[in-house]
Amino acid sequence: MSGTATSSVTISLDDTGKSAKLPLLTGSLGPAVADIRKLHADLGIFTYDPGYGGTAACESKITYIDGDEGVLLHRGYPIAQLAEQSTFLEVGYLLLHGELPNAQENRDFVAQITNHTLLHEQLRHFYNGFRRDAHPMAIICGVVGALSAFYHDSLDINDPAHRELSALRLIAKMPTIAGWAFKYAQGMPFVYPRNDLGYAENFLHMMFAMPSEPYKVSPVLARAMDRILILHADHEQNASTSTVRLAGSTGANPFACIAAGIASLWGPSHGGANEAVLKMLNEIGTKDHIPEFIRKVKDKSSGVKLMGFGHRVYKNFDPRAKIMQATCHEVLGELGIKNEPLLELAVELEKIAIEDEYFVSRKLYPNVDFYSGIILKAMGIPTSMFTVLFAVARTVGWISQWKEMIEEPGQRIGRPRQIYTGSPQRDFVPLHQRG
Ligand code: ACO
């Protein structure tokens, strides 16, 4: 179903008295959206919406968020049901194809993904080009971009079979690319994927196994990792997904588009937040420093934010944060970690913040990243890898959104407008005449 015009809104220009009737489009859920496509032609004006807080840039059937109610649905299914009852690859199939797989489809999808986990051997050499202390996001951004130089047989974006193959390759290879970035930083040998392991299990295996000794992945940790991947799989038109769509709208190949998404995800306001949460908790140090820290956060001149709190869309609670909190306790239990100081600090910080007028009045609640850093740290994953894990998970969402966009009839290049506030036209002054 495409957005349908059910009514209209009329806007008129005070100065000229001219008016335009804008169709109001409704989707299957969510508020109506004024269609402004003809606004410039009718009235000669554009709309201004920096940060795109009130602008729908596309139509999508993949993910629905109701930020006020704390609702997150993938293809209609609530995130909590998916996190509790399904697997990351099932969710991947759902995002990519629109329906949950039946048993046979699931087996086929898992087999296809498993078949593509290896990297072209020459891609190994890319890693050696990086310094050992390179941020793993820099490495994966480079290596994923480089995939387009290796898989020429799946680069025709107009061929559905090529699109499918590229999607499978990206989903399958991301854990290998990420696992090797992890190993590279530690100066350890790369561990090849094992096709007898599940997706999350294999990922943990490639990060933690050593060729010199057997390694058994804990099923509790594999399940927790799978759940973390599900919780990060897609999130509608966030910054990185919009980056992927914008890059893709030019006809760029999917590997290049996903590399662009990785770059966008890297920032601390987006995927870098769980890394920032841990840094913040370490800086706070002990519970008695919380009031002083909260004072700093409220003082706008300090530039300090409570990381892991607040969300552009969720203004009630982030449904993923609750599941993440429960997973955190499970993981610490499995690892026998009692009285983890960072967890205790996080719980106390959350308790204080959610009762504080500053946060309440601004509708700032813990987001998915508030607890994920603690889980990952407990699993032995260094903070620099946190955003990499997010990228592994989000690849499935990015590629589903990219595919949806390419398959949309009449798809056009994305091209926002601007309010120009620079100099009016003026004449060039030769260098020798400038003061
Ligand atoms: N700490 C303190 N104050 C905050 C925070 C925070 N974490 N987040 C928002 N605010 C304040 C703003 O300063 C602003 O205050 P004001 O009204 O007095 O000016 C008000 O709350 C509204 O915030 P906005 O900046 O309008 O919120 P926006 O939607 O632009 O930003 C964002 C959302 C970027 C996520 C922000 O809340 C933030 O930086 N949070 C911390 C970083 C973080 O956790 N990011 C992860 C997001 S989830 C994800 O990417 C997976």
Side-chain angles (χ1 to χ4, degrees):
M1 175 187 119
S2 65
T4 5
T6 45
S7 59
S8 63
V9 60
T10 302
I11 67 160
S12 48
L13 290 183
D14 291 346
D15 319 358
T16 62
K18 280 207 272 179
S19 65
K21 208 172 186 185
L22 308 178
L24 273 185
L25 305 180
T26 47
S28 43
L29 291 170
V33 173
D35 179 349
I36 59 158
R37 277 174 290 185
K38 291 204 182 131
L39 192 61
H40 184 246
D42 289 351
L43 295 183
I45 60 170
F46 292 125
T47 52
Y48 179 56
D49 185 17
Y52 313 115
T55 299
C58 65
E59 211 177 287
S60 180
K61 294 180 172 61
I62 300 176
T63 293
Y64 174 75
I65 301 174
D66 182 335
D68 293 328
E69 296 300 322
V71 170
L72 168 59
L73 310 176
H74 290 319
R75 303 281 191 185
Y77 297 102
I79 187 65
Q81 291 181 21
L82 293 172
E84 274 150 29
Q85 298 173 48
S86 92
T87 64
F88 177 66
L89 285 187
E90 263 185 284
V91 174
Y93 184 98
L94 173 71
L95 292 171
L96 207 50
H97 298 294
E99 294 298 334
L100 284 166
N102 63 28
Q104 186 57 47
E105 286 164 340
N106 194 45
R107 271 194 297 276
D108 291 347
F109 189 64
V110 171
Q112 283 171 319
I113 294 289
T114 308
N115 261 322
H116 286 289
T117 49
L118 279 171
L119 300 182
H120 190 291
E121 257 316 278
Q122 264 176 272
L123 265 169
R124 282 182 67 113
H125 302 311
F126 270 74
Y127 287 82
N128 292 331
F130 288 98
R131 286 168 49 137
R132 289 278 169 188
D133 62 354
H135 196 289
M137 282 298 277
I139 298 182
I140 70 159
C141 197
V143 174
V144 170
L147 293 178
S148 42
F150 285 83
Y151 299 104
H152 295 131
D153 60 339
S154 65
L155 292 185
D156 180 359
I157 63 162
N158 298 314
D159 182 334
H162 280 216
R163 292 198 293 270
E164 181 72 15
L165 183 54
S166 288
L168 292 172
R169 279 181 167 151
L170 275 156
I171 300 166
K173 293 181 197 307
M174 277 305 280
T176 315
I177 293 170
W180 287 10
F182 178 71
K183 288 293 195 197
Y184 186 74
Q186 296 177 323
M188 288 182 181
F190 292 157
V191 173
Y192 281 83
R194 258 182 51 191
N195 289 358
D196 58 325
L197 301 180
Y199 190 86
E201 209 181 2
N202 195 25
F203 187 22
L204 287 169
H205 165 76
M206 286 187 283
M207 280 194 283
F208 295 115
M210 295 285 279
S212 45
E213 54 192 57
Y215 176 78
K216 172 103 184 73
V217 180
S218 145
V220 175
L221 297 191
R223 179 70 196 127
M225 176 58 77
D226 200 68
R227 203 175 289 159
I228 292 171
L229 296 177
I230 293 175
L231 293 178
H232 288 89
D234 191 53
H235 211 231
E236 212 231 57
Q237 308 309 322
N238 54 82
S240 56
T241 302
S242 299
T243 303
V244 170
R245 278 187 176 258
L246 196 54
S249 76
T250 69
N253 76 69
F255 302 110
C257 296
I258 301 304
I262 292 171
S264 171
L265 185 74
W266 195 351
S269 296
H270 193 7
N274 52 11
E275 191 174 340
V277 169
L278 225 61
K279 191 163 167 278
M280 172 191 75
L281 292 174
N282 279 314
E283 276 165 14
I284 298 173
T286 50
K287 285 184 198 174
D288 52 315
H289 291 137
I290 293 178
E292 171 55 21
F293 176 74
I294 297 275
R295 250 194 310 281
K296 261 199 239 158
V297 169
K298 292 185 199 173
D299 171 9
K300 288 288 162 72
S301 66
S302 74
V304 177
K305 273 188 175 176
L306 176 48
M307 300 311 284
F309 257 66
H311 198 275
R312 169 56 61 82
V313 179
Y314 295 120
K315 300 297 177 194
N316 183 340
F317 68 94
D318 180 340
R320 302 167 301 171
K322 288 191 173 175
I323 307 164
M324 203 57 97
Q325 192 189 30
T327 307
C328 188
H329 287 288
E330 264 174 50
V331 167
L332 297 185
E334 163 71 8
L335 294 171
I337 300 174
K338 291 196 187 97
N339 311 324
E340 160 62 46
L342 286 185
L343 178 63
E344 286 178 12
L345 195 58
V347 171
E348 185 66 18
L349 190 56
E350 177 183 357
K351 206 167 103 203
I352 293 176
I354 58 176
E355 283 167 6
D356 188 294
E357 198 278 331
Y358 174 93
F359 299 95
V360 175
S361 64
R362 288 171 178 77
K363 301 189 171 176
L364 302 171
Y365 296 89
N367 59 46
V368 66
D369 289 322
F370 193 68
Y371 284 100
S372 63
I374 299 171
I375 307 179
L376 299 176
K377 179 178 180 280
M379 283 179 167
I381 296 168
T383 45
S384 61
M385 278 294 290
F386 291 1
T387 318
V388 173
L389 261 85
F390 192 159
V392 169
R394 187 54 60 85
T395 293
V396 77
W398 288 331
I399 201 66
S400 304
Q401 299 266 355
W402 170 84
K403 187 168 165 285
E404 179 180 66
M405 180 193 67
I406 298 292
E407 290 171 3
E408 189 184 308
Q411 179 263 323
R412 303 170 75 202
I413 186 170
R415 174 55 168 92
R417 305 301 298 227
Q418 63 169 7
I419 302 180
Y420 176 67
T421 54
S423 165
Q425 183 170 331
R426 48 186 168 161
D427 289 325
F428 181 79
V429 180
L431 185 58
H432 67 274
Q433 288 176 14
R434 283 176 231 154

